[in-house]
Amino acid sequence: MPQLPDSVLISPDRSARSRTPEAAADAVGSGRASAKLILFGEHVVLYGHPAISLPVPSLSVGARARRREGPVVIEVSSVDDQPGAPARVDTSAVPRMAVSAVCEYLGVPDDGLLVAVDSGIPAGHGFGSSAASSAAIIEAVASLWGRELDSDTMFELVQRSETVAHGKASGVDARTVISAGGPIWFQHGTSVPLAVADGPARPVLVVADTGVYGSTRDAVAAVRRRLEALGTAGTDILERAGAITTAAAADLAAGRFAELGEKMTATHEILARLEVSCPEIETLVAAALRAQALGAKLSGGGLGGCVIALAVGDDAARRLCTALTDAGARQCRTVALHPEGRP
C-alpha cells in the first residue's frame, strides 16, 4: 500500500473473536452480510493497484442454517424473484462452495444441512451479491456449530466462492461485504478503514440502476483483452488509476468533496476507455453531470449495473435522483459516505 497520511486512516479493531465450539441437533445458525459499492479502483485492483469501497448495510443478505438428513440443500429467496414466488433450491456452484469451504475449515461433515438464504441485493448490478450471499452462508454454518469466525478467516473462505463466481477475484468484494461501515482502502488482500471528514457538508452517493445485468466475469475478461491490446499505454492507464485512488483517499479525509467528485468522473473515463461502460451507463453519467453532480461513474464490474453520483446534502441528492430517474434509471437510492451513526 502507498504510504498514506495518518489522518486518512482509522485504526482497525483487531480484537479476537470467540472460537468456542458447540453443537446441538436442534440448533439454528444465522449470518448476515451487506452489499458494497466500489468508489475507486474497479478492475485495476486486479493488477495490484488500490481500491476504495463502501459497505451498504441498507442492502443485505441473511442466511439461516440447520441440520437435516441427507445432502446439503440451499433454498434461496431473492429480491430478483417475482413477488410472492416460493423459495427455490439453488444448486449452483457458488453457494455450494461457500458451504464446503466453511465445513472444511470447521472440520465438520459437508452434508446434512439445510441453508435458507434471503437476499435483498439485486444480482449483476455491482452490489457484490455473490460475495454477500457467500459471507452470510459461511457465517450461518459457523454459527450453527457455535463458531464465530474472525474477519481474516471470513475473507479467505468468501474468496474461495468468489473465485468460482468470477474466475479471478481481487478480494475487494469479500473484504467489503464483511466490513462494519464507512469507506475502506483495499490492496493486495488487506483493508484499512478510511476517515471521512466531519462537518456541515454531508456527502451522499446517489446510486442509479441502469436496469442492465452486468457480468463481472465478462467484464474482467474484456479489460484483460483491452490492456493486452494497449500494451505500454495500458500500463500507464493502470498507474494513473492507482494515483487517482490514492489522492481520493486524501480528499475524503480532508472533506474536499468537489475534488473527490472530479476524481470519480476521471475514473469513469478510464473505465470507459477499458471498454466496460455501455450506452445506458453513459446516459446516466451524462445526466448526473448535467444535474450538477460533483462527479459520476460506473460502480463495480460494468457492462451494466449501477452508476454512482456524488452530491453534498440531501436536497442536492434528491434533485440528482429526479434527474437520473428522468434519464431512465430503473431505480435510485442514496447512500451516505459517513459510517452509520455519524452525521
Side-chain angles (χ1 to χ4, degrees):
M1 179 192 300
Q3 191 65 38
L4 296 174
D6 291 341
S7 61
V8 169
L9 306 176
I10 299 174
S11 297
D13 179 6
R14 300 188 182 278
S15 58
R17 297 184 177 187
S18 169
R19 295 173 55 84
T20 304
E22 180 181 334
D26 59 350
V28 177
S30 61
R32 183 164 295 276
S34 72
K36 62 81 190 177
L37 291 169
I38 298 182
L39 308 185
F40 295 91
E42 291 93 342
H43 292 289
V44 301
V45 69
L46 284 167
Y47 298 87
H49 295 279
I52 297 174
S53 59
L54 179 73
V56 184
S58 59
L59 295 175
S60 64
V61 179
R64 293 170 65 82
R66 63 178 177 84
R67 298 306 306 272
R68 67 181 294 274
E69 294 296 328
V72 172
V73 173
I74 302 170
E75 295 182 343
V76 177
S77 299
S78 171
V79 68
D80 294 321
D81 298 335
Q82 292 295 322
R88 52 191 165 79
V89 174
D90 190 342
T91 59
S92 60
V94 176
R96 189 63 183 84
M97 173 56 76
V99 174
S100 295
V102 66
C103 286
E104 179 182 346
Y105 175 79
L106 296 173
V108 300
D110 185 13
D111 60 7
L113 290 173
L114 173 63
V115 182
V117 180
D118 185 8
S119 176
I121 304 176
H125 287 72
F127 287 115
S129 63
S130 64
S133 293
S134 294
I137 290 170
I138 289 164
E139 185 177 33
V141 174
S143 171
L144 175 66
W145 290 92
R147 300 286 290 273
E148 189 174 1
L149 306 178
D150 61 62
S151 61
D152 285 341
T153 301
M154 284 289 297
F155 170 73
E156 294 296 336
L157 296 178
V158 174
Q159 269 294 86
R160 290 179 62 178
S161 294
E162 283 293 274
T163 299
V164 172
H166 303 309
K168 183 178 181 182
S170 69
V172 64
D173 285 17
R175 280 289 184 194
T176 311
V177 301
I178 61 174
S179 297
I184 66 169
W185 172 279
F186 177 90
Q187 192 172 20
H188 301 309
T190 62
S191 63
V192 182
L194 290 176
V196 181
D198 288 321
R202 179 176 180 268
V204 180
L205 289 175
V206 175
V207 186
D209 187 350
T210 64
V212 177
Y213 180 92
S215 167
T216 299
R217 182 185 288 269
D218 291 347
V220 167
V223 169
R224 183 179 64 250
R225 291 191 298 270
R226 179 62 172 156
L227 288 171
E228 289 172 354
L230 288 169
T232 57
T235 301
D236 292 342
I237 288 173
L238 296 177
E239 293 291 339
R240 180 166 179 257
I244 289 173
T245 300
T246 300
D251 289 339
L252 274 170
R256 296 189 294 263
F257 300 122
E259 290 88 341
L260 184 73
E262 291 171 358
K263 291 176 177 64
M264 288 174 61
T265 304
T267 296
H268 178 73
E269 292 168 355
I270 289 173
L271 293 168
R273 189 174 178 190
L274 292 176
E275 299 184 350
V276 290
S277 188
C278 66
E280 293 84 356
I281 288 173
E282 292 303 315
T283 295
L284 294 185
V285 167
L289 296 176
R290 284 197 304 270
Q292 299 184 324
L294 298 181
K297 61 182 287 292
L298 68 83
S299 179
L303 302 180
C306 287
V307 165
I308 57 174
L310 182 63
V312 174
D314 292 337
D315 288 344
R318 280 191 289 270
R319 289 193 296 271
L320 266 181
C321 279
T322 298
L324 288 165
T325 300
D326 291 345
R330 185 71 57 86
Q331 185 178 23
C332 279
R333 52 173 54 88
T334 58
V335 178
L337 275 179
H338 282 106
E340 284 195 341
R342 295 180 65 188

